[in-house]
Amino acid sequence: MLTNKSSAIVLKLIKELKRFGSWCGETHVQKTMYFLQEGIGVNTDFDFILYKHGPFSFNLSDLLVSLQSNDVVKLIPQQYPYGPSFALTEDGESLLEEYSDKLGDDGSKIEQIALKLGNKKVVELERLGTALYVSKKMDSDNSIDLKADEIVRLKPHISRPSAILALNEVCEILTT
């Protein structure tokens, strides 16, 4: 069932996001995992692309479905118009404990990023994830203005002032 470090990271992330007040829907898991992998260097081997609501990994989505079908995580329905949220099952809790040694130093990094992003709404996570995506793709010498312009070009519904705020917040998240 749970055979690799990426699965252990996903379970730990879901648990920590819930602990820090996250809704913990798929968007929350996707964007936070993107920060873990691309922002602070936790190796999960997920392939992310810029998608409708920011960075998205189809293989992470597939893993979430697999974990659900193996009764390791469950989806908890929410009131309309909200989508379901993820939670660990009893088997998931047991497996996470059993495989926690696979996490090593990454366990504290997961806690750190869940603390910083756990209370963010989907709209905020989209902006922050897109800001990190653009920052990773553009030359580090590019100014914040050029990066903000690129965010607005990619996501016209994100205003330029919001793009600049997101870029600054990404720097803060990654340096504290």
Side-chain angles (χ1 to χ4, degrees), residues 1-175:
M1 237 190 281
L2 184 63
T3 59
N4 60 45
K5 185 177 176 184
S6 295
S7 296
I9 289 170
V10 170
L11 293 179
K12 175 76 170 170
L13 180 60
I14 290 170
K15 183 174 182 147
E16 294 302 322
L17 281 172
K18 295 292 257 188
R19 182 165 75 107
F20 290 113
S22 174
W23 181 271
C24 207
E26 184 166 357
T27 301
H28 298 88
V29 175
Q30 288 275 349
K31 302 318 172 246
T32 309
M33 186 63 70
Y34 184 72
F35 266 86
L36 276 173
Q37 181 174 302
E38 299 300 325
I40 60 175
V42 173
N43 184 15
T44 62
D45 294 324
F46 292 121
D47 299 317
F48 284 90
I49 62 167
L50 190 63
Y51 204 55
K52 186 176 181 180
H53 297 291
F56 184 87
S57 170
F58 285 96
N59 50 350
L60 172 55
S61 185
D62 291 345
L63 178 58
L64 289 167
V65 169
S66 176
L67 292 172
Q68 186 182 357
S69 69
N70 286 306
D71 199 34
V72 177
V73 299
K74 61 184 174 182
L75 284 175
I76 301 170
Q78 304 297 319
Q79 290 270 338
Y80 178 82
Y82 302 104
S85 61
F86 284 101
L88 301 184
T89 63
E90 286 183 31
D91 287 346
E93 291 281 356
S94 297
L95 284 169
L96 177 57
E97 188 169 323
E98 182 181 340
Y99 285 90
S100 62
D101 62 319
K102 288 187 178 286
L103 297 174
D105 293 336
D106 291 338
S108 63
K109 292 177 182 178
I110 294 167
E111 291 175 17
Q112 173 191 1
I113 208 70
L115 172 65
K116 292 177 181 181
L117 298 178
N119 66 347
K120 303 287 186 196
K121 307 250 185 282
V122 168
V123 173
E124 294 172 282
L125 291 170
E126 176 190 6
R127 280 192 302 261
L128 293 170
T130 302
L132 177 57
Y133 182 90
V134 166
S135 294
K136 297 284 293 178
K137 295 294 181 191
M138 292 183 77
D139 187 345
S140 61
D141 293 337
N142 286 10
S143 70
I144 197 166
D145 290 324
L146 288 174
K147 291 176 183 175
D149 290 343
E150 181 65 2
I151 291 170
V152 172
R153 186 187 73 75
L154 292 169
K155 302 286 184 179
H157 63 278
I158 298 177
S159 70
R160 193 165 192 292
S162 292
I164 291 170
L165 287 172
L167 287 162
N168 287 326
E169 190 171 352
V170 164
C171 288
E172 185 178 311
I173 288 168
L174 298 180
T175 58

